[in-house]
Structure formats: structure tokens, C-alpha cells
Amino acid sequence: MVDDSAELVEQTATALVQAMATHDGGWAPVREELSALFAKAAHVAAAELERSRTEVVQDPALAGEAIGEWKAKLRRLVRANPETAAPMREILGRLSTGDVQPRVSNTTGNVTGVSVQAHTIHGGAGNTTTYGGDHVEQSHIRAGRDVIGVQNNHRHGRDSGRER
């Protein structure tokens, strides 16, 4: 394993265990994305990540032990499959910046008032309005390939009270 990979594994294991302890809502995407690197053993990796997280959350003193455990697993993974280094770097980048759950919400047509498209907004965005027209809800998605959303159809006019 080259020095660059050793550093990548060290940093990823450390950032991973920090994410276990601190990211409640963002943990699931981290677990899924990292376990996917283990290919056919992804379900096993996901279960082991969850076990590690439970231990670290219950006893933060176990963080060092968890880092060592994941450092060894990630080292073996990169050694056996060097192509996993690139996606691991991407995961590390998101973990390092706190961007563990990217969210995008797009609204098109008939927007009045303020419309904001942003990665992260801290401290509010002022006028917060819920769009009540027809739209496809796409918050909480991570689009790698197909995009799945929830279509919301709001009936207006004479038919709005009728059940169909």
C-alpha cells in the first residue's frame, strides 16, 4: 500500500468514527455509502458499521478502538481493491466538511416571493414559504443514477373537494 493510501485510510477511519458519534440524521447515508465500497460484503460492512456506531455512542472512550478496527478494514479493502481509493476520497471529503447528507430541493414554475437554491443555509433564509402547487418533492435524495421523488398533486377549483 502506498503512503498516500495509508494516509487516506487513517483519515477516513478517524472521520468515520467521528461521524458515528456526531451525525444522527446524516449517519445512514454515510453507512450506506461506505459499506457499498465493500461490494458483495456491503450488508456485512453495514452491520459492522452500525455495531461500531452503537458502541461508540454508548461509550465514547471506545472511539480509539473503533478507529483502529476501521483502519485495518479499510486498509485491507484498499489493498485488495485499489480502485476503492477514489470513492473513499470522496466520502472523506464529505465527512471532513460535514457534508454528510447533501440535500437539494427544486421548485419550478409559479413561484412567487423568494426562491433560494443553496447547499447549506445557516441562520434561516428569511421569508420561508411552502409551495402549495403541483410539484415533485426531492428533498433527502442522493442522485447517483435514477431520481425518485414524491409527486404532490394539489387540485384547485371545482374538483378540489371531490375524492377520486
Side-chain angles (χ1 to χ4, degrees), residues 52-124:
S52 292
R53 180 175 190 256
T54 300
E55 291 174 355
V56 169
V57 167
Q58 289 176 350
D59 185 358
L62 295 175
E65 184 179 311
I67 290 171
E69 175 185 350
W70 283 100
K71 194 162 73 169
K73 290 176 192 231
L74 295 173
R75 177 183 42 76
R76 287 191 296 272
L77 175 68
V78 172
R79 187 173 282 164
N81 304 302
E83 68 277 1
T84 60
M88 191 181 297
R89 267 189 199 84
E90 292 176 18
I91 294 168
L92 175 61
R94 284 192 290 282
L95 287 171
S96 298
T97 61
D99 184 18
V100 294
Q101 191 171 3
R103 299 178 187 178
V104 175
S105 180
N106 293 323
T107 304
T108 326
N110 298 335
V111 176
T112 58
V114 177
S115 176
V116 176
Q117 181 171 352
H119 179 273
T120 304
I121 299 175
H122 297 282

Side-chain angles (χ1 to χ4, degrees), residues 37-51:
L37 295 179
F38 289 84
K40 291 180 181 178
H43 65 288
V44 174
E48 290 180 2
L49 282 163
E50 200 56 44
R51 180 195 43 79

Side-chain angles (χ1 to χ4, degrees), residues 113-155:
V114 177
S115 176
V116 176
Q117 181 171 352
H119 179 273
T120 304
I121 299 175
H122 297 282
N127 262 344
T128 314
T129 308
T130 302
Y131 178 68
D134 295 345
H135 65 281
V136 175
E137 178 63 41
Q138 294 180 322
S139 60
H140 309 291
I141 66 164
R142 293 179 353 166
R145 292 173 47 185
D146 297 338
V147 177
I148 299 170
V150 176
Q151 184 169 347
N152 297 288
N153 295 315
H154 301 273
R155 291 185 172 75

